[in-house]
Amino acid sequence: MQTVTSLDLKTITSEEPLSVCFVCLGNICRSPTAEGVFQHIVNKNGFSSLVEVDSAGTAAYHAGEPANSKSRMIADQNGVTLNSKARKFEYSDLEYFDLVIAMDKENHRDLLRLDRKGLFRDKIFLLRDFDPMPGDGEVPDPYYGGINGFELVYEIVLRSCESLLDTVRPHLKNNS
Ligand code: 4NP
């Protein structure tokens, strides 16, 4: 059961393109996959001028690095190119983005902690809040495991991002 509906997206008010930032720990596996997959789906639906997509990590361990080679390989096999360079998520990102979407509950907690005055709570979600099959609510960290974990991440991210676009579609400025 999908838990977020378009009515829950109260923070989407500006006339600018809808801005979405996906967040994981290192910004080299899960959130770059979500960024690339969501951008691909947005483009395929003709919404590229209406949606801005980015990703970042709660930690800076891998800042400046491209996405993990296994993440890139699986995305490539599915016609999706991952172009991101890892960067740390900053307070200014909470101010800037309309939606900030965490991959797991620890990332989600770290984002809520960064939002020390509680100003941005309504724009912080878990990606699997949008998943029609949300499981335990998390996109599992594949970093220390084998290729199967990366394949599972891709599958979860694809399904969740398709549903995310359906959810935000009524909020796009020109959704004809
Ligand atoms: P990500 O995966 O959060 O999906 O990018 C990880 C990348 C690096 C580390 C952990 C998770 N690390 O511990 O360096």
Side-chain angles (χ1 to χ4, degrees), residues 24-31 61-62 141-144:
C24 61
L25 176 62
N27 192 212
I28 54 169
C29 303
R30 293 166 292 173
S31 60
Y61 316 134
H62 296 277
D141 182 352
Y143 185 64
Y144 292 106

Side-chain angles (χ1 to χ4, degrees), residues 104-119:
D104 67 28
K105 291 173 186 171
E106 186 184 329
N107 312 145
H108 189 262
R109 241 186 340 263
D110 287 342
L111 290 168
L112 291 176
R113 199 170 294 140
L114 183 64
D115 178 20
R116 49 193 180 274
K117 295 184 187 154
L119 299 175

